[in-house]
Amino acid sequence: MTQVHGNTAANSAAPGGQAGLGRLIGAGLILVSIVLLALGAFLGPYRYGSSTPGKLTVQTCTVDYKYRSSTSSSSRKRTKTRWCYGTFTADDGSAKNLNAELRSDALYPRGHVLEARKSGDTSYQQDHGWVGAIAVGCAWWFAALIPLAIGLLGTATGFAFGGTSDVHRARQEASQGLLRTVYVLTAVGVIGFAISLLVVFFA
């Protein structure tokens, strides 16, 4: 009887320890979502608003090819990045760089003028307007909803990614309102992230 009681106590303690770990993981995921929200604000609207608008007169454009080996086969995948080099001149005359470079969406002929923005001492980017900047921020913000949803589930139920039994236990402890919130946040995050990327691509 003593041995059975000891096993029962050990088994009852295990779910509690797993739940504690799940709540810790959930809190960490909520923190990750907050960081993503901050990054979205910084890399999107803030960086655009604080950058210097101007124009880059193209001298030459090149394509940078990079190869990486595929783990599933012996073939190598090729990625290409287009770069344009030339003279950047700020619209207000506050900055000029004869050797500016930026990542471009196409290869332009010599003398072509690109709308550009200076976002650092040597950092330049094409100007896609506020629509593109807000879309970049939204991509990060929608992505933040996914760890936020899982984090809420973890902190509320102790869900710790522990397999089928952990999923079943989390469902039993979660209210219908919480589950509905998790599903909605995840769906909105995935759909919003995809739409934001499309807007960034076509902006």
Side-chain angles (χ1 to χ4, degrees):
M1 294 297 294
T2 305
Q3 184 177 2
V4 173
H5 177 74
N7 291 337
T8 303
N11 291 334
S12 62
Q18 189 176 37
L21 176 62
R23 290 185 173 88
L24 182 62
I25 293 174
L29 289 174
I30 292 175
L31 180 61
V32 168
S33 68
I34 294 174
V35 172
L36 292 178
L37 289 172
L39 281 174
F42 176 77
L43 297 176
Y46 175 79
R47 187 168 70 171
Y48 184 85
S50 61
S51 60
T52 303
K55 294 176 176 58
L56 184 138
T57 304
V58 175
Q59 294 294 325
T60 184
C61 290
T62 61
V63 179
D64 181 19
Y65 292 98
K66 291 184 179 181
Y67 295 87
R68 60 178 183 177
S69 299
S70 176
T71 56
S72 59
S73 64
S74 58
S75 63
R76 294 193 302 170
K77 294 183 178 180
R78 185 180 72 171
T79 59
K80 63 179 182 180
T81 305
R82 302 178 184 90
W83 294 91
C84 285
Y85 308 86
T87 301
F88 173 82
T89 304
D91 290 342
D92 59 3
S94 61
K96 186 173 184 177
N97 186 355
L98 301 178
N99 299 304
E101 63 178 46
L102 56 76
R103 185 173 180 175
S104 65
D105 53 11
L107 298 177
Y108 296 98
R110 181 185 179 91
H112 185 84
V113 178
L114 290 173
E115 296 292 333
R117 299 187 76 92
K118 180 182 179 183
S119 54
D121 292 337
T122 59
S123 178
Y124 301 87
Q125 60 186 14
Q126 278 191 262
D127 190 348
H128 295 292
W130 276 105
V131 173
I134 293 175
V136 170
C138 286
W140 288 89
W141 296 333
F142 280 118
L145 296 180
I146 300 173
L148 175 62
I150 302 174
L152 289 175
L153 180 65
T155 53
T157 66
F159 175 64
F161 306 92
T164 305
S165 60
D166 191 28
V167 172
H168 181 67
R169 180 183 58 79
R171 284 181 177 177
Q172 286 183 328
E173 294 189 16
S175 64
Q176 289 298 319
L178 175 61
L179 290 177
R180 189 179 302 110
T181 300
V182 170
Y183 293 148
V184 170
L185 286 177
T186 303
V188 171
V190 172
I191 296 173
F193 179 74
I195 294 175
S196 299
L197 288 184
L198 287 175
V199 175
V200 171
F201 182 78
F202 290 107

